[in-house]
Amino acid sequence: MKVLILTYRVPFPPNSGYPIVVYNTIMGLLKHDVEVTLFSINTHKNKIDIDDIYDPVFENIHFHSYEIDTSVNYIDMFLNVFSDESYNVSRYYEEDAAKLLANVLHETEFDIIQFEGLYVVPYLDVVKELSQAKLIYRAHNIVFDVWERLAYREKFIPRRMYLEFLARRLKTYETEQVNRFHQIFAISEPDRQSIVRMGCKTNLDVFPVALDFEKYITAPIKYGYPTLFHLGAMDWQPNKEGLEWFLSEIWPDIEKLNSELRFYIAGKHMQQEFYDYESDNVVVEGEVIDAVDFINSKAIMIVPLLSGSGMRVKIIEGMAMRKCIIATTMAAEGIKCEHGKDILIADTPDEFYRSILQCITNPNKLTEIGENARRNVEKNYNISSIAVRMVQIYQQLINA
């Protein structure tokens, strides 16, 4: 079976949500003798030097990439208002990239072509013209929903109006595309329901994040205690918004609980405003070399998202590392978890305060939640079982 996967980022190294999902998908397919070709947009923002990739998964696939500068151009942004295209999506399309993809399609006859996320869907017309493969769209989130929620929380009226405009364009585009594929993979049950409401008539299944648990080995009592931590890319607006809320509305009361309490903040593209919060009790580390080591060395994961869509991969990783996670309902959306058993849900400053107080005064509860979390993800997010089911659907599509 020959599968072509299209991505809007190079998924090497797998160091954040989208790359982890794609990387683990490829790993799972390779274990089932699927021949994988990967075509990636290599954006300037997340540019990867292909010559520096040393990875066994990479060595076992056919790889093609094309560099595109997807940064915001204010002239293009203004002109886009007078077009009927989504500016968020159109930035990922270039004619030369489409020509390179066409060459790949001429060289190989694929059985399955899988589009990983909305931003590679502009290449669908090229694929439809040149290939008879079965086409799959994997929705990593409901993109317009992210922008609608950001617009709702925006207080500056001109910016809110523009965010609403972008959300409307995205909603139109996203809705128009869902029935152009043979199969849709949603990353969570709430997202599946959203796609149904968008008028999806095609086959629709849920494929969540899949983890290789050999990577998530915890060292007993290795972490510092009491420590809180947040890990996430700060160029993703929901992460930035949520962390700002936690630091300004919640943290001032939390740090009074215990003079030894430390809050560690890490992630790519850390912005200067977060370094301004540094103190004896707040440590801003920026991008970390090894996210698993970072998670392993801390006690309590804080995920204060107020907007977003899809599934938070870092929560699944934290659960795999036996961490007690305190997250908003929004952050935990789509994850199979139970408040008080394998996660703590907090949506207000007072709820965060009481949850953190419970954790630092009752270490046994901290451990219990972490152990339950590990058992949960081993059952529901195992790379082996998810890969088996994906290959089965591939085969059904091919035989249809």
Side-chain angles (χ1 to χ4, degrees), residues 173-327:
Y173 184 79
E174 217 162 345
T175 303
E176 289 173 348
Q177 302 306 314
V178 292
N179 288 314
R180 300 185 67 200
F181 295 86
H182 298 100
Q183 173 77 46
I184 306 292
F185 291 159
I187 206 162
S188 69
E189 177 57 28
D191 279 13
R192 187 195 70 80
Q193 295 172 14
S194 293
I195 293 170
V196 169
R197 289 193 293 270
M198 289 161 62
C200 179
K201 304 298 183 185
T202 194
N203 299 323
L204 177 57
D205 288 272
V206 175
F207 276 89
V209 177
L211 295 186
D212 177 6
F213 290 100
E214 292 181 4
K215 177 181 176 183
Y216 299 93
I217 306 299
T218 56
I221 320 300
K222 179 182 177 182
Y223 59 76
Y225 180 83
T227 53
L228 312 178
F229 72 97
H230 177 276
L231 177 61
M234 286 299 110
D235 59 340
W236 193 50
Q237 186 63 25
N239 278 344
K240 180 176 180 290
E241 172 195 55
L243 184 57
E244 287 174 339
W245 174 68
F246 182 84
L247 285 168
S248 61
E249 302 294 329
I250 302 170
W251 176 249
D253 289 327
I254 298 299
E255 67 177 337
K256 297 174 186 176
L257 284 172
N258 185 329
S259 62
E260 299 300 316
L261 193 62
R262 298 288 183 272
F263 181 37
Y264 292 83
I265 302 170
K268 296 192 301 180
H269 307 293
M270 189 63 64
Q271 298 175 21
Q272 180 57 46
E273 63 191 88
F274 294 111
Y275 287 101
D276 294 340
Y277 284 99
E278 281 197 297
S279 67
D280 290 341
N281 299 91
V282 177
V283 181
V284 181
E285 298 203 3
E287 185 172 0
V288 292
I289 296 174
D290 191 319
V292 172
D293 271 355
F294 176 79
I295 294 172
N296 206 23
S297 66
K298 308 294 181 289
I300 304 162
M301 176 183 265
I302 302 295
V303 191
L305 283 190
L306 302 173
S307 59
S309 177
M311 182 177 287
R312 260 54 60 189
V313 178
K314 283 294 181 282
I315 289 184
I316 304 297
E317 287 193 302
M319 295 174 80
M321 295 296 292
R322 295 181 168 85
K323 295 300 159 183
C324 178
I325 298 166
I326 305 175

Side-chain angles (χ1 to χ4, degrees), residues 20 60 114 142 158 166 179 187 191 198 233 300 317 326 359 367 375 385-386:
I20 289 170
N60 283 284
Q114 186 158 307
I142 308 302
L166 292 177
N179 288 314
I187 206 162
D191 279 13
M198 289 161 62
I300 304 162
E317 287 193 302
I326 305 175
C359 288
T367 301
R375 284 191 287 269
S385 58
I386 290 175

Side-chain angles (χ1 to χ4, degrees), residues 9 15 44 59 108 161 215 217 261 374:
R9 281 183 61 180
N15 56 3
H44 287 193
E59 299 300 326
T108 305
M161 292 176 64
K215 177 181 176 183
I217 306 299
L261 193 62
R374 173 71 182 210

Side-chain angles (χ1 to χ4, degrees), residues 3 49 53 56 76 86 92 126 148 157 252 263 267 307 319 345 350 356 380 396:
V3 174
D49 188 334
I53 299 176
D76 290 344
S86 166
Y92 288 82
V126 176
E148 280 187 346
I157 292 177
F263 181 37
S307 59
M319 295 174 80
I345 300 298
D350 182 61
I356 293 170
N380 294 302
Q396 291 169 9

